Amino acid sequence: MGLMGDGIGPAHAREQFLRGGSPEGSVRAAILSSWQRSVSLGLSPEGCELPYLQDLDLNNRLVRAAEPVLDRLEARFAGRNMNVSLADARGAVLQRRFGQASLARRLAAIQSVPGFVFAEQFGGTNGIGLALAERQLINVYGAEHFAERSQSSACTAIPVRDLLSGRIEGILCFGFPLADADVALNTVIRSAAGAIERRLLEQSSTRERALLQAYLNARRRSPALETTDDGELPELGELGASGLDWRDQMILKEKAADLVASAQRAAVEVALPGGRRVTLLSRPMTSPSGVEGVVIEAILPSQQHLAVPAEAAVAPSPMAQAAATPMAQPVLAASGRAAGRAPAAVGESAAETVRNPAAPSVPGTSRAMVGRATSGLVLVGEPGVGKYAVAARRRLELLSEASARIGTTLDVGHTARELAEMAVPRLADFVTIDVPEAVLRGEEPTEPHSELFRAVVHGYREDCPFYPAGRRVRLRPTTPQLRCMAGGQPLLEPDLRTAAGWIAQDPWHAQRLLDHNVHSLIAVPLVARGIALGVASFYRSRDPAPFGDDDRSLAQELATRAAICIDNARRYTREHTMVLALQRSLLPRSFPEQSAVEVAHRYLPAESGVGGDWFDVIPLSSTRVALVVGDVVGHGMHAAATMGRLRTAARNFAELDLAPDEVLTHLDNLVGRLDRDESSEEPSSDSSGMIGATCLYAIYDPTSQQCVMARAGHPPPGVVAPDGTVTLADLPAGPPLGLGGLPFETAEFHLPEGSQLVLYTDGLVGGRRRDVDTVLDQLRGALAHPNRPPEETCEAVLRAVMPDHPADDVALLVARTHALDPHRIATWGLTSDPALVSGIRAAVARQLTEWGLEEIAFPTELLLSELVTNAIRYGTDPIQVRLLYDRTLICEVSDTSSTAPHLRHAATTDEGGRGLFLVAQLAQAWGTRYTADGKVIWAEFALEVPGGVHGTVESFLDDIPAI
């Protein structure tokens, strides 16, 4: 539970980590980071000793705010094995409550007694410590704990914040047995933490009102400062001799907004450019109509400043004396809108430039103001407006988080889901997203209003009866969704009970939603680059207050960001589809008929894009077959196009009947030329500027059951013997294609009939987070079933070895070998004696009669006569004649000479030169193959010739000019 990856458990991952391994990808990132921090702190799983604090204030404002909430939690979990704890911002436990009272007696002291500090630097990975470190809701399950003592338990923890300042005041944590883990506890703990935060806000409001009144009283007792003629404070810009320009005033207004909006001291010394300092003071006020507010005043000293040591006694100004009274120390004012922004909390550390220019002995005072001070009005705000600042800060946090969490993949549906997950529950309770089906396919929608598809339905619970995801939705033009798409602007329906257009879509369905307390809607079009990509609908049900304008603006901002990501995903989907179509068009759709091997193949593109993996099966002369697998480095159109060029070249070189090492040498030269061509041209965005490729080329001969192969930087093939033995061919690696100047080596293997040859690309076994040896062991296990057909072998290999999220293409080719029946092979040897030709003709005729091929005996004798005569005349001993009876009849004549005959048109006056012309006319195909000992001239006869063989021969003979 709580883990990611492909089945590695938390205990195994933890052991692997503690042994110095890297379980990255098999454990959640937050847990792994915490483990790494714990080790860096010098902690050990057996020695996480927690400090115990005896001087804790167990009745502080956090405890007072939390006690009613803890009481309700204790009642809710009554009878359950649940431990509820409240810790302060240091991780020290302040209170503990138990679902079973007996737990307090049975649990160890660190789990039952307040005072122990669970900060990560002491306890390693645990709920309280990790929630403090991550500053968010966190779950820790079983072996994810760093300490050994916590391996059997689980916990859920969440920070409790001061809603005014945003600071973490404490941590609320649920502890329970691992078997009782339930994601529903996340909802419970969020609700409980929110209740504590609201009670803290209420406490702050009460204290603030008392402090503000005290400050007001102290201000009245202070000597009057400079005022205008009508008795009012002058505005900041009206202070004639202040020397403050507009930049200074902007700095003071920003600091004043911070002082109004968040918890802050009554006196704040603000540093201005040029070493100047101005003190800001907050002052409550009440309008004649009874509206209470806060005035922020700027106290401007005289032009003379005196720098003194911080510990020296300084004569403060009259205003500073007023601010220094006990009643006027820290003033927590509510926030205001006057600055036109959502200010961040200030004063959270001692490093802030906050000074109290009050008492002579206040530590930290670095300057004193000498002479008569003047004051000016900076900002006025209402106390109740502080809630807006909190909401504004949360909106900014949500938008900031959305920038990182929306668009993490280039998948349209996943991106839409991320938008919904960001909005629930911080903006809405339910979100539905509808997009045209064309967008899901990567195309631009032509009718975005009429072909909508429900892509996402997401909410805080799953039993709300929205139209389900995965089906088309037909909306009326009067619905808010289509109206907002038509107008291109978000549409707010604060009360759905009165939204006639929404109800008219489906009155019965609308009533069901209203029965589930769905009462408010914001419909936002997903528009990017002027294209309508769909509509997002945000619904509210739990909060009785309807959506407002601020919510609509936030929803629009979220939808706009998501729309850009969706459009990027759409465009990527379109390009990916195009490249995939190109890739598949360049790969073989079917293979020519041949009897040497039975083959099956698979091609699987990577998640992130299409690459340059390819394979081929090429019939060769004399029943042989070539098996090829290659891989072009990179992804995209360039890799696919390069793959097509290499595959075409490999087929052309195969037609020359070259040995595997010679084919790789020619491919190596080709890649080198392509590289030089790429470097000489203008580099494109789809090209890396350099081509890299690997290749494996094998030739199998069913007459001898021998396989010759060579590879260029490619993984070796798997060989499955008929008895089930699996090995990886011991084949020299060879350099990747394109390096040039380095030789390729061949290796020859005997493959008994029924063996399987498994060729693949490195995407099947490679990967940064995969152990190659482990993967190869899995591959051997999947292949150890020799009697399976190649199709089943492909499926078994992919199930056992294929990564869940492939980062590279995978090409797989499985070939099960056959052998040509020895009774279908006839061989004769002879010397360079023309008299032997007639004997060979007679022997061939007898063999064809035995095979039942009397119909083609005459053209075969005629063809062999020409080939044998050429070998006797131009070749060297020994000479061999071989017939192969397969799908065709194959005639071979070999000798030890490397001189090959050439086909030409003989003139009417020539006495010879018509032999090969006769061979070319009689045979279905013919050619020359060079061997280590010489050459082989071969010719194939089709066993079924339209019109009859004799008719063809007689017609040909009639066309030969008379001599």
Side-chain angles (χ1 to χ4, degrees), residues 603-765:
Y603 170 74
L604 298 174
E607 276 194 348
S608 58
V610 177
D613 292 14
W614 55 282
F615 55 88
D616 212 341
V617 177
I618 309 171
L620 302 178
S621 63
S622 305
T623 72
R624 298 171 308 133
V625 65
L627 306 173
V628 194
V629 170
D631 184 2
V632 177
V633 176
H635 296 88
M637 190 76 71
H638 181 261
T642 303
M643 175 275 292
R645 299 167 79 174
L646 289 182
R647 177 174 174 256
T648 301
R651 291 190 71 90
N652 292 335
F653 296 141
E655 290 291 332
L656 300 176
D657 255 331
L658 300 177
D661 57 331
E662 296 180 25
V663 171
L664 293 182
T665 299
H666 285 292
L667 291 176
D668 180 57
N669 294 334
L670 173 62
V671 172
R673 289 194 297 272
L674 293 177
D675 256 340
R676 290 191 292 272
D677 293 342
E678 291 283 345
S679 61
S680 64
E681 296 177 358
E682 188 77 18
S684 64
S685 59
D686 193 36
S687 173
S688 62
M690 187 176 73
I691 298 173
T694 64
C695 186
L696 171 65
Y697 191 94
I699 297 177
Y700 172 70
D701 187 346
T703 64
S704 63
Q705 301 175 36
Q706 293 296 112
C707 183
V708 182
M709 63 184 75
R711 62 183 177 129
H714 202 83
V719 179
V720 185
D723 62 358
T725 303
V726 181
T727 59
L728 295 179
D730 185 12
L731 181 64
L737 299 177
L739 294 183
L742 298 175
F744 299 98
E745 300 181 51
T746 61
E748 188 169 355
F749 304 90
H750 179 71
L751 298 181
E753 185 174 12
S755 301
Q756 288 196 6
L757 195 60
V758 182
L759 290 72
Y760 53 88
T761 55
D762 61 359
L764 182 68
V765 298

Side-chain angles (χ1 to χ4, degrees), residues 256-562:
D258 289 343
L259 185 59
V260 171
S262 60
Q264 187 55 271
R265 295 181 181 275
V268 179
E269 191 176 64
V270 181
L272 298 177
R276 296 166 298 155
R277 293 181 181 272
V278 173
T279 302
L280 294 182
L281 295 177
S282 61
R283 175 190 176 191
M285 60 167 285
T286 303
S287 70
S289 61
V291 177
E292 296 182 350
V294 176
V295 174
I296 303 300
E297 302 173 12
I299 309 302
L300 286 75
S302 64
Q303 298 302 313
Q304 181 182 5
H305 292 73
L306 177 63
V308 295
E311 65 273 15
V314 180
S317 68
M319 190 62 188
Q321 287 180 342
T325 60
M327 294 180 293
Q329 280 298 317
V331 176
L332 301 178
S335 62
R337 299 182 185 178
R341 58 186 289 272
V346 296
E348 293 193 7
S349 69
E352 290 284 347
T353 57
V354 177
R355 301 287 184 266
N356 183 355
S361 60
V362 174
T365 301
S366 59
R367 292 183 182 270
M369 295 173 289
V370 180
R372 184 169 180 262
T374 59
S375 65
L377 180 62
V378 181
L379 200 61
V380 177
E382 298 178 35
V385 182
K387 297 179 181 178
Y388 293 105
V390 174
R393 182 169 62 249
R394 288 185 171 177
R395 286 195 294 270
L396 289 175
E397 291 173 353
L398 179 60
L399 291 174
S400 176
E401 188 176 350
S403 299
R405 292 183 55 186
I406 296 178
T408 59
T409 67
L410 289 171
D411 179 81
V412 173
H414 191 274
T415 303
R417 183 79 183 182
E418 289 172 337
L419 167 61
E421 291 174 348
M422 282 301 306
V424 176
R426 286 184 281 183
L427 172 61
D429 298 314
F430 299 97
V431 174
T432 65
I433 299 178
D434 306 319
V435 299
E437 292 185 65
V439 172
L440 298 176
R441 298 192 300 266
E443 304 169 5
E444 288 190 10
T446 55
E447 295 290 337
H449 303 82
S450 60
E451 54 177 25
L452 291 177
F453 180 86
R454 178 59 51 89
V456 174
V457 177
H458 181 64
Y460 78 98
R461 66 182 195 188
E462 298 183 359
D463 61 343
C464 206
F466 289 96
Y467 294 146
R471 55 172 281 187
R472 297 191 67 173
V473 290
R474 292 176 173 83
L475 302 178
R476 296 191 177 193
T478 57
T479 58
Q481 288 82 1
L482 291 193
R483 285 159 52 202
C484 80
M485 290 185 69
Q489 294 296 325
L491 188 62
L492 170 62
E493 290 284 2
D495 189 355
L496 289 176
R497 292 171 299 182
T498 62
W502 178 77
I503 295 174
Q505 166 68 23
D506 188 342
W508 179 82
H509 181 73
Q511 186 58 50
R512 290 190 65 193
L513 291 174
L514 293 173
D515 292 342
H516 281 75
N517 296 322
V518 176
H519 61 82
S520 192
L521 163 67
I522 300 174
V524 186
L526 300 173
V527 179
R529 302 178 180 92
I531 303 173
L533 302 174
V535 59
S537 303
F538 303 85
Y539 294 90
R540 177 171 286 179
S541 66
R542 291 181 293 176
D543 189 344
F547 283 124
D549 290 335
D550 290 342
D551 300 313
R552 178 173 54 185
S553 299
L554 177 59
Q556 182 179 17
E557 186 70 25
L558 284 174
T560 299
R561 299 186 183 201

Side-chain angles (χ1 to χ4, degrees), residues 46-59:
E46 303 83 8
C48 293
E49 298 296 331
L50 304 183
Y52 178 75
L53 302 181
Q54 296 181 341
D55 58 345
L56 283 175
D57 182 2
L58 300 180
N59 192 34

Side-chain angles (χ1 to χ4, degrees), residues 748-800:
E748 188 169 355
F749 304 90
H750 179 71
L751 298 181
E753 185 174 12
S755 301
Q756 288 196 6
L757 195 60
V758 182
L759 290 72
Y760 53 88
T761 55
D762 61 359
L764 182 68
V765 298
R768 290 179 296 177
R769 299 181 179 179
R770 307 176 75 198
D771 181 73
V772 175
D773 293 334
T774 301
V775 176
L776 291 178
D777 287 341
Q778 294 171 347
L779 177 61
R780 293 187 184 96
L783 294 176
H785 300 276
N787 296 324
R788 282 188 310 214
E791 283 289 342
E792 295 182 10
T793 300
C794 282
E795 292 297 327
V797 168
L798 294 182
R799 283 196 304 268

